[in-house]
Amino acid sequence: MKVLHVLKSNSYSGAENIAITICANMQKYMCAYTSPIGPIDEKLKQQNIKYYPMKKFCVMELKRVVKEFEPDVIHAHDFSASVIATVLCGKKIPVISHLHNNVPWIKNWNIRSLAYRFALNRIERVALVSDCIIKEAIFAGKMVGKYKILGNPIDKKNIRRMAEEFSCERFDVLFVGRLTEAKNPMKFINIIDKLVKYIPYLKAGIIGDGDLFMECENRIVQLHLENNIYMKGFCKNPYPYMKNAKIMFVTSEWEGFGLVAREAFALKTPILLPDVGGMHELVLEYPKIKCEIEEEYVCKANKILNEDSEWIKFYEGVYNEQENKDDLQSYLKSIDKMYQDCCCVNGSSY
């Protein structure tokens, strides 16, 4: 069976990581990856995944790739890829829509939510990273009978292997993610500004690229934090930095699954985060890591960085609990069933 993974982004982040994990671990299928050409190319070469780069993200370019690869199933990641895949392939090739984020616009009727609602008529299955999407989406009724909540796979062995690939500088506090409105890196900078009043020589790092890169740089200069916050830009392998950080902050306005938090646990790195999206499950399990306002990050981080014994004991307990959770194989079985279901609908048998 041939499966084509379709993504709108050309860089490497959460959704791309999931698509690559599926391709690399489901060897019973012939998987290929298509997206606009960009830095993702290097990551796919490392994993030996067949790549069909598009000049730009559009129907005509996807049509070219589909004609060349001839997939049995389209695995479209996130909303835009799902819509464009159904426009081209909805009646001929089964489409799985994999939603990695609960973006704010899904709560109300607008041009994007309407477009996805109509795309659901041609979507065979919907994979969700958390139940927050089905709870908040205005088109949730159209997903009934089609969706399954999968979470995200955490390949702990691979994460730890990659964390040893190179030596890197150590940060006291670290931010890893796209520099976009959703991830709210400006909030991270504001928290560091407050934290340096207690720890003047604090060293913080920002790993990632995005629309707010220049705005973040300007804000750092404005607050005179050039000797405290270092912007590293895009890094194809952030795990060595994550492993060596004393603590990580997630400051997102909205999230799907909150993959970076689970990865931090796999690397035994303390993390503080907000109660948004899929991270709500972690907050319910470990309410102590929840931060609603900037001052909470400052207060808790100050204790962690000063090696407070209560916090050390707390995180040791978290790591031990998380270590016993191995969701990768069960996750892959769920994806496998979706592929098989789609081919049964399409009249094929593998």
Side-chain angles (χ1 to χ4, degrees):
M1 186 193 299
K2 299 168 75 173
V3 181
L4 179 65
H5 291 259
V6 181
L7 293 98
K8 184 179 181 180
S9 167
N10 66 358
S11 60
Y12 180 70
S13 191
E16 296 75 22
N17 176 48
I18 302 310
I20 289 172
T21 298
I22 294 170
C23 292
N25 287 279
M26 300 192 72
Q27 297 178 359
K28 65 184 287 187
Y29 298 99
M30 185 183 296
C31 292
Y33 187 113
T34 186
S35 73
I37 192 167
I40 192 66
D41 177 48
E42 186 175 350
K43 189 70 178 179
L44 294 166
K45 285 179 180 176
Q46 290 175 359
Q47 296 286 342
N48 197 29
I49 295 171
K50 193 172 184 63
Y51 181 41
Y52 290 88
M54 292 187 278
K55 294 178 182 178
K56 62 179 181 178
F57 187 72
C58 65
V59 172
M60 291 305 297
E61 276 293 278
L62 181 58
K63 182 178 181 180
R64 175 184 61 79
V65 173
V66 168
K67 184 177 180 180
E68 188 173 346
F69 183 61
E70 298 182 335
D72 299 294
V73 174
I74 298 286
H75 191 146
H77 294 263
D78 276 330
F79 296 95
S80 296
S82 300
V83 172
I84 197 172
T86 57
V87 169
L88 178 62
C89 308
K91 289 184 177 180
K92 300 175 182 177
I93 306 171
V95 175
I96 293 173
S97 176
H98 198 147
L99 304 183
H100 300 271
N101 288 292
N102 62 325
V103 288
W105 57 259
I106 67 173
K107 300 176 184 179
N108 305 293
W109 288 122
N110 52 69
I111 190 167
R112 287 177 289 188
S113 59
L114 283 168
Y116 188 77
R117 180 252 181 261
F118 286 110
L120 281 165
N121 292 327
R122 295 185 173 186
I123 289 172
E124 291 294 338
R125 295 289 185 272
V126 181
L128 304 177
V129 294
S130 72
D131 63 356
C132 62
I133 299 174
I134 200 70
K135 289 178 179 177
E136 297 179 6
I138 196 168
F139 45 75
K142 289 290 292 183
M143 291 194 286
V144 173
K146 294 184 176 184
Y147 79 91
K148 184 174 178 61
I149 299 167
L150 298 181
N152 272 342
I154 305 296
D155 191 344
K156 295 174 185 175
K157 290 183 180 179
N158 187 52
I159 289 170
R160 290 167 183 161
R161 179 189 61 78
M162 293 179 67
E164 302 294 336
E165 282 189 352
F166 59 86
S167 299
C168 66
E169 59 190 308
R170 185 175 189 184
F171 293 105
D172 297 310
V173 188
L174 186 66
F175 172 100
V176 177
R178 286 179 179 156
L179 304 185
T180 62
E181 180 187 357
K183 304 299 182 183
N184 200 358
M186 300 300 288
K187 183 176 180 178
F188 176 83
I189 294 171
N190 292 338
I191 295 168
I192 299 302
D193 183 47
K194 292 179 172 67
L195 193 53
V196 295
K197 292 175 174 58
Y198 298 91
I199 309 174
Y201 298 103
L202 182 83
K203 184 178 180 181
I206 295 178
I207 295 179
D209 200 356
D211 299 338
L212 298 181
F213 190 93
M214 291 300 298
E215 190 174 336
C216 288
E217 280 195 328
N218 293 337
R219 181 64 173 162
I220 290 168
V221 172
Q222 181 184 13
L223 294 173
H224 307 291
L225 294 172
E226 300 98 316
N227 294 323
N228 297 105
I229 303 179
Y230 299 85
M231 298 192 67
K232 305 297 292 183
F234 171 76
C235 178
K236 63 182 181 181
N237 177 12
Y239 297 128
Y241 292 99
M242 292 171 63
K243 180 188 176 183
N244 286 287
K246 293 182 180 179
I247 186 173
M248 291 180 61
F249 290 168
V250 176
T251 54
S252 303
E253 289 296 311
W254 66 87
E255 277 281 354
F257 180 66
L259 182 62
V260 71
R262 275 82 172 184
E263 292 174 333
F265 285 150
L267 294 169
K268 298 186 177 182
T269 300
I271 192 160
L272 298 174
L273 45 79
D275 186 359
V276 296
M279 290 188 294
H280 179 65
E281 298 169 14
L282 286 177
V283 167
L284 287 177
E285 196 170 1
Y286 309 112
K288 199 168 183 175
I289 66 176
K290 171 185 168 185
C291 294
E292 292 185 349
I293 58 176
E294 293 176 3
E295 285 72 19
E296 279 190 271
Y297 284 92
V298 174
C299 180
K300 293 179 180 181
N302 194 23
K303 292 180 180 179
I304 295 167
L305 291 169
N306 282 291
E307 299 183 345
D308 180 90
S309 59
E310 180 184 337
W311 278 94
I312 291 173
K313 185 177 180 181
F314 165 74
Y315 277 110
E316 285 177 351
V318 173
Y319 305 145
N320 290 334
E321 288 179 13
Q322 292 294 313
E323 191 62 25
N324 293 324
K325 297 180 180 180
D326 185 5
D327 301 324
L328 179 58
Q329 293 308 313
S330 59
Y331 179 92
L332 295 174
K333 287 180 182 178
S334 295
I335 294 292
D336 177 67
K337 188 176 187 309
M338 282 192 168
Y339 291 168
Q340 295 296 330
D341 288 348
C342 283
C343 283
C344 287
V345 170
N346 203 36
S348 299
S349 178
Y350 291 87

